[in-house]
Amino acid sequence: SVDGALLRVASMSDDPEGRIVRYGYPRLPELVDSRTLTSYAYVIQKNEEIAEKYYDLIDQRKKLRRNDPRRTEINKAIDKIRALFKEKEQELISACPFVATTVSKAVVDKAIFSQKFDLVIFDEASMAYVPQIIFSAGLAEKRFCCLGDFRQLPAIVQDEDNTVLKRDIFDYVDITSAVENGNSHNWLVMLDTQYRMHPSIAEFVSAYMYEGILKSSDLIFEAKQTVADSAPNEKLPMSMIDLSGSYSVCIKTNDGSHINLMSAMICMRLAEMLIDQHEIGIITPYSAQSRLILAMIRDLQEREDKYRGLTTATVHQFQGSEKPVIIYDAVDCYRMLYPGMLLTSKENDTANRLFNVALTRTQGKFILVANMDFMMNKGLSQKLLFYKMMEHLKAGKAVVRGMDIYDEIASEENSIDEMFLGERDEEDSWYRYLCDIANAEHSIYIEIPGVLDEDEDALEQMADEIEKAVERGVRISVKLADNITIPEWLEPYSYKHKYVTTPITVIDEQVIWFGEPLSSADFLSGGNPILTEHFPCLRFVGNHTARLLRAVFEIPNMNRGDDRRGKVGRETDPRGAGDT
């Protein structure tokens, strides 16, 4: 939000360079790449000869061994230049009429807290601790303004018993209670007309989060509808890809986060279809899922510049940002006993505030990716905004599920999409999979969580390609669930593991398949079978993604003679809660 605010001000200002600056470490590429809008880059630009000497010293140091005595002299010279840059940066900050920074920077950096400003504006105030806001108000000589939304994210408080820090500034000064009771407040200016979102999205959040008082400007419909008109789900500003009936698997990572490979790949397929027309944000409640999607984005960005317009983050990281298209990956589904607290917690209205933030980042088109049957079967509360959204989309016939998903977002036959999506029983899907096995150069890793489909002709084709791969020296490793029987020709390459969760194949540590080979796995939830009705197959290529999946699924390093069949990894339970 700091970066965004500064860019807006700079775009409307006629001030010369060096008068509007960002102090600290920006995230938006427009600022990272700017030579004038960050204080450090501006100082470097104004002292090019010193900067050239500085970078030359760094290059010299890189070429020296760590015990080379010349490093000491070079380090002293580097430190001296850094101190000079720091001094000039502080002089710039003191002279600038407009400085943008974070509160965490302001409370520790003398360049900020030693000054007084005519006006201090504190954005995203609902996320801040009250002491931080009081500190920031003390920097103002004439005026202090808080901007925020008490229906969006609160501050993160790890101490569950600390009720003081859990209160945001709106609650602290009784603005929240005044609004909820239909009253005004002396310190409140209500911004009740929005210009960001498609009016249909604003109408939904107004009804369920803002007591019906949020209105939309008459000027925005046409521009926002242009985005909503884009395929997939043409003309719909809000829609859902429902993964119900598929073997969409959610597992817990070692740090307690949640990850779902299939839903991540579906999100990337949606992004691929839209990226030529719009910038896109993919939002998820879970950090592990965000890291997986980020790895996929990095792989795409290294191949094509157009993917620079694709970003991902958790809900907390995305507050303050906005994009024409938002794809929301809910992640949770079977192998979880219940949806996680980030989707369901009612304490301090946390789940509703999280989903409200994700939804209201959208300018024109919001696509929800979730497993509706799982959510409903697990008793999701009807009071949750997430539940109301699913019911709203269902009533409006804006939910795409089952075989309709292939009609809406599947890859064309023989296409060369970055993110392939097809159905398991389609010849094109199986042909592509066999081609990847035929082209394998050094390794094929397969996880089989359930029985294989009994397609004898297809299995014979796969057996032939595996045999040829072995003759080429390709290493084969197949991890099986304890109770799974496989064809005899796969047994020499297989080992049993207590927990096998996801139907994946990784070839040459870069080609990733979900749903192949011929996955026919089902779920068991609460003792009752959940039969898989649809079998999507997805393909993605990327080293960053394969490296991350190797850590998540404990895939052996097959490049270095690490053949640990039958002994791979720790037998930790990645399921989290009890569904199998």
Side-chain angles (χ1 to χ4, degrees):
S1 61
V2 175
D3 292 356
L6 181 128
L7 286 170
R8 292 285 185 91
V9 172
S11 69
M12 295 184 289
S13 172
D14 296 326
D15 282 357
E17 294 177 353
R19 303 286 287 169
I20 297 173
V21 297
R22 168 75 160 91
Y23 184 51
Y25 304 96
R27 292 185 59 187
L28 292 183
E30 299 96 313
L31 284 181
V32 174
D33 298 336
S34 173
R35 298 187 66 202
T36 60
L37 290 176
T38 68
S39 54
Y40 182 77
Y42 184 79
V43 166
I44 293 291
Q45 184 214 158
K46 288 297 182 181
N47 297 273
E48 289 187 352
E49 290 186 9
I50 301 174
E52 188 175 332
K53 181 180 179 182
Y54 173 71
Y55 292 124
D56 181 57
L57 288 169
I58 290 176
D59 288 339
Q60 289 181 43
R61 187 174 63 180
K62 288 178 180 177
K63 297 173 184 177
L64 299 176
R65 296 180 179 274
R66 289 198 171 274
N67 58 355
D68 193 311
R70 287 177 294 173
R71 287 180 68 94
T72 302
E73 182 179 342
I74 289 176
N75 283 337
K76 288 181 180 179
I78 289 174
D79 290 343
K80 187 175 180 180
I81 294 176
R82 283 177 176 166
L84 176 63
F85 284 160
K86 183 68 175 177
E87 181 182 331
K88 289 185 176 294
E89 197 175 3
Q90 291 182 350
E91 290 174 359
L92 175 66
I93 296 301
S94 297
C96 278
F98 185 95
V99 179
T101 192
T102 61
V103 67
S104 54
K105 180 80 168 169
V107 299
V108 299
D109 197 311
K110 191 174 182 179
I112 299 295
F113 70 66
S114 64
Q115 295 192 61
K116 288 286 186 179
F117 298 85
D118 294 322
L119 167 65
V120 172
I121 301 173
F122 198 117
D123 195 14
E124 300 297 350
S126 71
M127 292 187 72
Y129 306 119
V130 171
Q132 290 179 319
I133 291 181
I134 294 172
F135 166 86
S136 302
L139 301 177
E141 201 159 72
K142 297 179 180 178
R143 292 182 177 85
F144 177 72
C145 177
C146 263
L147 305 177
D149 183 343
F150 52 83
R151 291 288 189 254
Q152 295 193 2
L153 297 181
I156 298 173
V157 180
Q158 293 182 331
D159 182 359
E160 290 298 322
D161 297 326
N162 195 326
T163 57
V164 175
L165 287 182
K166 286 182 179 179
R167 299 180 68 189
D168 62 40
I169 190 64
F170 300 100
D171 182 37
Y172 188 78
V173 300
D174 295 328
I175 287 176
T176 303
S177 59
V179 173
E180 289 176 344
N181 292 323
N183 300 321
S184 186
H185 188 285
N186 288 338
W187 293 357
L188 173 64
V189 176
M190 181 74 76
L191 303 179
D192 60 3
T193 302
Q194 68 87 24
Y195 297 82
R196 171 192 294 162
M197 296 172 278
H198 189 287
S200 295
I201 300 174
E203 184 179 340
F204 176 82
V205 295
S206 179
Y208 295 115
M209 291 297 288
Y210 297 102
E211 286 81 33
I213 62 176
L214 181 63
K215 302 188 293 285
S216 296
S217 167
D218 296 334
L219 305 175
I220 65 171
F221 176 81
E222 187 174 343
K224 307 308 180 185
Q225 186 60 39
T226 300
V227 181
D229 286 342
S230 306
N233 305 341
E234 292 181 40
K235 304 193 180 303
L236 297 176
M238 297 185 291
S239 61
M240 178 178 179
I241 302 295
D242 180 10
L243 304 183
S244 300
S246 64
Y247 195 74
S248 174
V249 184
C250 181
I251 61 175
K252 267 190 179 180
T253 56
N254 289 335
D255 61 358
S257 190
H258 296 186
I259 202 165
N260 181 330
L261 177 58
M262 179 181 164
S263 68
M265 296 177 90
I266 290 288
C267 289
M268 294 302 292
R269 172 60 185 157
L270 291 167
E272 181 187 23
M273 296 179 71
L274 287 157
I275 194 63
D276 287 324
Q277 307 164 68
H278 309 292
E279 289 192 347
I280 301 164
I282 302 177
I283 304 180
T284 171
Y286 298 106
S287 59
Q289 188 78 349
S290 179
R291 290 194 297 271
L292 170 59
I293 295 171
L294 179 61
M296 299 175 82
I297 292 173
R298 289 180 64 191
D299 285 321
L300 292 177
Q301 288 177 342
E302 289 179 359
R303 294 199 286 270
E304 278 197 77
D305 283 343
K306 68 180 181 180
Y307 289 102
R308 300 291 169 188
L310 175 59
T311 59
T312 186
T314 63
V315 184
H316 285 88
Q317 293 166 335
F318 228 98
Q319 179 153 321
S321 300
E322 57 187 70
K323 292 289 180 182
V325 178
I326 291 292
I327 301 169
Y328 183 81
D329 185 356
V331 183
D332 284 341
C333 61
Y334 288 106
R335 289 196 181 270
M336 292 291 110
L337 190 55
Y338 296 105
M341 296 297 289
L342 293 173
L343 291 175
T344 62
S345 176
K346 298 176 188 174
E347 183 182 358
N348 202 17
D349 210 25
T350 297
N352 281 344
R353 292 167 77 161
L354 278 165
F355 191 67
N356 183 40
V357 169
L359 180 56
T360 56
R361 302 308 92 203
T362 314
Q363 294 173 342
K365 194 175 188 73
F366 177 84
I367 304 176
L368 171 62
V369 177
N371 187 314
M372 185 186 293
D373 285 357
F374 170 79
M375 299 296 176
M376 298 308 187
N377 291 342
K378 296 301 182 177
L380 196 70
S381 171
Q382 297 182 20
K383 295 181 180 179
L384 292 171
L385 187 65
F386 183 76
Y387 178 94
K388 292 171 182 173
M389 168 60 79
M390 290 193 293
E391 288 291 292
H392 178 82
L393 296 176
K394 185 178 179 181
K397 297 182 179 180
V399 176
V400 181
R401 64 181 285 164
M403 297 303 292
D404 291 339
I405 292 177
Y406 303 105
D407 294 335
E408 196 69 42
I409 66 172
S411 304
E412 296 289 336
E413 188 172 352
N414 300 319
S415 66
I416 52 172
D417 298 338
E418 292 283 359
M419 178 75 254
F420 171 78
L421 167 62
E423 211 271 335
R424 185 199 65 184
D425 294 328
E426 289 179 356
E427 184 177 341
D428 190 36
S429 300
W430 185 241
Y431 173 75
R432 291 173 189 250
Y433 181 68
L434 291 180
C435 283
D436 282 337
I437 292 178
N439 292 325
E441 295 181 357
H442 58 75
S443 64
I444 299 172
Y445 173 83
I446 300 172
E447 284 200 15
I448 303 177
V451 295
L452 293 177
D453 186 80
E454 296 177 357
D455 185 332
E456 292 185 4
D457 290 340
L459 289 173
E460 284 184 14
Q461 292 173 333
M462 183 177 175
D464 289 342
E465 294 301 341
I466 290 291
E467 183 179 350
K468 293 175 185 176
V470 172
E471 291 173 356
R472 295 195 305 273
V474 176
R475 299 173 62 79
I476 315 291
S477 185
V478 181
K479 184 161 73 173
L480 305 173
D482 279 340
N483 58 344
I484 299 303
T485 301
I486 58 172
E488 287 185 10
W489 54 269
L490 265 183
E491 289 180 356
Y493 317 108
S494 69
Y495 62 94
K496 296 292 182 74
H497 196 278
K498 188 175 181 181
Y499 301 114
V500 182
T501 60
T502 307
I504 62 168
T505 298
V506 182
I507 299 171
D508 292 341
E509 297 194 342
Q510 64 172 349
V511 180
I512 301 142
W513 277 90
F514 176 94
E516 294 286 17
L518 301 173
S519 173
S520 293
D522 296 317
F523 295 104
L524 192 66
S525 178
N528 299 313
I530 307 292
L531 300 180
T532 303
E533 302 170 5
H534 313 289
F535 299 92
C537 295
L538 297 109
R539 179 185 186 270
F540 185 80
V541 179
N543 292 316
H544 296 296
T545 307
R547 192 177 304 121
L548 186 145
L549 294 178
R550 180 181 164 196
V552 170
F553 294 109
E554 299 180 343
I555 299 174
N557 182 355
M558 299 175 68
N559 276 336
R560 302 176 184 174
D562 187 2
D563 187 3
R564 298 185 290 165
R565 290 178 292 217
K567 323 179 261 191
V568 174
R570 304 178 302 280
E571 289 203 346
T572 52
D573 184 349
R575 299 171 299 173
D579 279 356
T580 59

